[in-house]
């Protein structure tokens, strides 16, 4: 879209991921003048477009359940308005080891207490829902109301809807600073010009702390890369999104199966002086999950920090963001674990590998603040 700078709107939404795109669409639908800004060339280029794509209530922390309930209802409504491969096939967590069962019993009970029909089934009963799961597992926690979709298509659906509702979408533009005056937000400064606004929504994923810092707000987010892969098209095997300690997956309408390493997934983290921030929050968590984190030094980020003379600043944010390294061996092991439970997956071959950046909070729960 051609833009004449400076812009003057009611609300600036920074970040065209799933949160930012949906926010811009909804605020514009209410009649506000909205600018949706992203440093990438299109919506859904980072974490939102690289996720597994499960839409689930089961297995959530109790604090998340009201938000998950509201989100699920809105996904159902939106599925009537666009094609982003939305499938209501349910969600199943398969437990192979007896030690896993008590945690599933607790999670299922918490979901039922919130009014959701989440059941813990024996393997025999679960196979009525997942007949292809002929391999070894003992129990399955099953929610019939959950689903899955294609994340990049869904994100761009909402970004396009924001444009149709009148939002100005500005891609390839880095927001460098939140403007304030008299203790109030007055807009943002980008690398192309200023956008005046009465409110700014920062939905920048792993880059949120960098922009928030320009307004004096400290956000304890740690970026980690989560690996995934996808097979060539397969015959229909399961409609539910499936999870276990060793694999997760969903099958797309065209037969391709998206695979991750499940709850035992080993995430990546690129080390730089940025990690010294909020060290008191992260050191205990890193020690606890040290076997699930693969560390590497990030010379690119270190160089940007040196040039900016700061460990946290929009000047350290890469444009465009580099693709995190894909963990092919881990995905190959996840596929092998999936084959053990779903022998029909034996002919499957992984044809695409990638990683997506995840904005991890200290307790693993969403951060919503104003």
């Amino acid at each position: 879209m051609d833009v004449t700078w400076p812009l003057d709107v009611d609300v600036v939404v920074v970040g065209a991921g799933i949160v930012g795109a949906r926010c811009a669409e909804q605020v514009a639908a209410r009649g506000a003048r909205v600018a949706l800004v992203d440093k990438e060339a299109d919506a859904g280029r980072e974490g939102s477009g690289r996720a597994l794509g499960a839409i689930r209530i089961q297995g959530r922390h109790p604090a998340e359940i009201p938000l998950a309930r509201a989100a699920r209802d809105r996904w159902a409504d939106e599925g009537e308005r666009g094609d982003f491969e939305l499938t209501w096939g349910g969600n199943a967590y398969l437990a192979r080891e007896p030690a896993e069962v008590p945690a599933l019993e607790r999670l299922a009970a918490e979901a039922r207490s919130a009014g959701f029909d989440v059941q813990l089934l024996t393997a025999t009963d679960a196979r009525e829902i997942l007949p292809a799961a002929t391999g070894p597992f003992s129990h399955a926690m099953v929610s019939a109301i959950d689903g899955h979709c294609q994340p990049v298509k869904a994100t761009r659906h909402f970004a396009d809807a924001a444009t149709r509702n009148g939002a100005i979408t500005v891609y390839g533009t880095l927001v460098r600073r939140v403007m304030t005056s008299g203790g109030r937000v007055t807009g943002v400064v980008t690398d192309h010009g200023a956008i005046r606004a009465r409110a700014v929504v920062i939905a920048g994923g792993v880059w949120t702390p960098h922009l928030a810092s320009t307004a004096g707000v400290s956000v304890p987010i740690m970026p980690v890369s989560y690996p995934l892969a996808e097979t060539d098209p397969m015959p229909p095997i399961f409609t539910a999104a499936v999870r276990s300690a060793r694999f997760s997956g969903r099958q797309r309408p065209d037969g391709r199966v998206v695979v991750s390493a499940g709850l035992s997934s080993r995430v990546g983290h690129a080390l730089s002086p940025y990690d010294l921030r909020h060290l008191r929050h992260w050191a205990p968590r890193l020690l606890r999950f040290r076997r699930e984190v693969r560390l590497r030094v990030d010379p690119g980020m270190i160089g940007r920090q040196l040039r900016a003379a700061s460990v946290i600043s929009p000047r350290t944010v890469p444009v465009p963001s580099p693709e995190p390294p894909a963990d092919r061996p881990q995905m190959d092991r996840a596929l092998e674990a999936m084959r053990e439970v779903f022998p029909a997956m034996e002919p499957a071959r992984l044809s695409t590998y990638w990683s997506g950046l995840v904005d991890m909070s200290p307790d693993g729960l969403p951060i919503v603040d104003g």
Side-chain angles (χ1 to χ4, degrees):
M1 175 182 290
D2 293 330
V3 175
T4 302
W5 299 93
L7 290 173
D8 194 338
V9 297
D10 298 312
V11 181
V12 178
V13 179
V14 183
I18 193 69
V19 173
R22 179 62 163 171
C23 176
E25 183 252 335
Q26 287 290 291
V27 174
R30 288 162 171 76
R33 296 170 301 156
V34 179
L36 174 62
V37 187
D38 197 285
K39 66 186 180 66
E40 301 297 317
D42 201 351
R45 284 290 183 95
E46 294 195 275
S48 291
R50 296 170 179 169
L52 180 65
I55 301 169
R56 61 180 176 85
I57 292 173
Q58 69 131 320
R60 294 287 186 187
H61 188 282
E64 290 183 286
I65 287 180
L67 186 60
R69 182 203 305 267
R72 194 268 177 206
D73 292 344
R74 283 159 178 76
W75 278 111
D77 292 341
E78 205 62 35
E80 304 295 323
R81 300 184 178 93
D83 178 14
F84 42 88
E85 301 183 17
L86 183 63
T87 302
W88 295 114
N91 191 294
Y93 180 99
L94 308 178
R96 185 164 180 172
E97 303 298 330
E100 298 176 70
V101 175
L104 298 190
E105 289 176 334
R106 174 181 55 80
L107 288 169
E110 289 171 350
R112 287 195 299 272
S113 69
F116 298 106
D117 183 18
V118 175
Q119 301 296 325
L120 185 63
L121 305 177
T122 64
T124 300
D125 291 337
R127 288 188 178 107
E128 294 182 10
I129 301 169
L130 295 167
T134 58
F137 70 100
S138 65
H139 291 77
M141 181 174 65
V142 176
S143 168
I145 68 169
D146 291 343
H148 55 87
C149 71
Q150 184 61 6
V152 69
K153 288 185 177 181
T155 305
R156 291 176 182 171
H157 163 81
F158 290 121
D160 291 343
T163 301
R164 290 193 298 272
N165 286 342
I168 301 169
T169 52
V170 186
Y171 295 121
T173 299
L174 177 67
V175 178
R176 295 188 176 277
R177 179 169 58 88
V178 176
M179 296 190 297
T180 60
S181 177
R184 298 181 63 85
V185 167
T186 58
V188 298
V189 175
T190 80
D191 53 6
H192 289 149
I195 306 177
R196 293 184 290 266
R198 294 184 292 108
V200 176
V201 178
I202 304 178
V206 299
W207 311 117
T208 290
H210 297 272
L211 181 56
S213 71
T214 68
V217 178
S218 180
V219 183
I221 283 177
M222 190 65 69
V224 298
S225 58
Y226 185 79
L228 298 104
E230 188 174 75
T231 71
D232 288 327
M234 296 287 295
I237 298 172
F238 42 74
T239 57
V242 296
R243 299 193 300 151
S244 78
R246 298 168 61 201
F247 67 84
S248 296
R250 64 177 181 87
Q251 188 164 25
R252 299 176 59 182
D254 67 2
R256 285 179 286 178
V257 178
V258 182
V259 179
S260 81
L263 295 191
S264 63
S265 181
R266 190 180 186 197
V267 300
H269 176 66
L271 291 167
S272 77
Y274 173 90
D275 298 313
L276 298 176
R277 300 173 57 256
H278 304 293
L279 190 60
R280 70 185 186 277
H281 295 307
W282 294 107
R285 189 175 180 90
L286 177 60
L287 289 173
R288 179 182 176 188
F289 295 103
R290 59 189 178 276
R291 294 181 180 177
E292 284 78 45
V293 182
R294 182 181 183 182
L295 299 175
R296 64 179 178 86
V297 175
D298 188 345
M301 178 58 80
I302 293 172
R304 289 189 294 272
Q305 291 171 356
L306 288 172
R307 289 189 293 274
S310 175
V311 301
I312 178 165
S313 164
R315 289 178 293 168
T316 68
V317 175
V319 181
S321 290
E323 181 80 21
D327 191 339
R328 297 173 69 102
Q330 184 174 190
M331 293 302 93
D332 292 342
R333 292 192 296 271
L335 177 60
E336 192 57 42
M338 184 178 285
R339 286 174 177 145
E340 292 176 10
V341 178
F342 296 94
M345 288 289 296
E346 183 58 39
R349 295 293 180 268
L350 295 175
S351 56
T352 308
Y353 298 79
W354 71 93
S355 285
L357 288 175
V358 177
D359 43 343
M360 182 65 66
S361 65
D363 60 4
L365 296 175
I367 296 174
V368 181
D369 201 359

